[in-house]
Amino acid sequence: EVQLVESGGGLVQAGGSLRLSCAASGFTFDDYTIGWFRQAPGKEHEGVSCISSSDGSTYYADSVKGRFTTSSDNAKNTVYLQMNSLKPEDTAVYYCAARHRGYQCLYFGMDYWGKGTLVTVSS
């Protein structure tokens, strides 16, 4: 069974930090590119970051660049999203998704999705 499970969401004040985890099972982790996406209430999905588990290359949306960092621990089959200097506009449900042998994290190109974890940033 292929499964992605997010954790680490919660309520944090603006300027604070959270670390999200995406635990993967059921597939060879380092054959996949893992992306983080988010969706605020009433808004469309937004790509946040992307990481290749094989070489560690990363991509960040301009809105989070310099504040968020994604990393992988292949031994644990887990990808992280470290979120610093959080802003109220970061409030959203955050999803991780996996793409087999991909070089991009495109919403409609991801093969597997987690169920999401809610991040709420208060003013």
Side-chain angles (χ1 to χ4, degrees):
E1 178 183 353
V2 174
Q3 188 174 52
L4 298 172
V5 179
E6 303 95 336
S7 62
L11 175 64
V12 65
Q13 292 183 331
S17 298
L18 286 173
R19 188 179 74 162
L20 306 183
S21 298
C22 174
S25 62
F27 59 91
T28 303
F29 184 76
D30 61 5
D31 287 342
Y32 286 77
T33 294
I34 308 296
W36 287 95
F37 298 81
R38 65 187 182 185
Q39 186 174 33
K43 305 295 184 181
E44 295 183 353
H45 283 94
E46 175 189 14
V48 176
S49 67
C50 188
I51 184 169
S52 169
S53 296
S54 60
D55 65 11
S57 60
T58 57
Y59 163 85
Y60 300 95
D62 288 342
S63 59
V64 306
K65 195 172 298 181
R67 300 188 297 119
F68 291 10
T69 303
T70 189
S71 60
S72 63
D73 185 338
N74 288 3
K76 296 181 178 180
N77 258 28
T78 300
V79 165
Y80 304 96
L81 183 67
Q82 178 67 46
M83 305 185 295
N84 299 325
S85 301
L86 283 161
K87 304 174 181 179
E89 51 262 45
D90 295 318
T91 295
V93 176
Y94 284 71
Y95 302 87
C96 65
R99 180 178 182 177
H100 185 240
R101 297 188 182 278
Y103 294 94
Q104 296 176 300
C105 294
L106 301 176
Y107 181 77
F108 293 107
M110 308 308 290
D111 297 310
Y112 307 106
W113 288 84
K115 294 182 179 180
T117 185
L118 177 63
V119 172
T120 303
V121 184
S122 63
S123 301

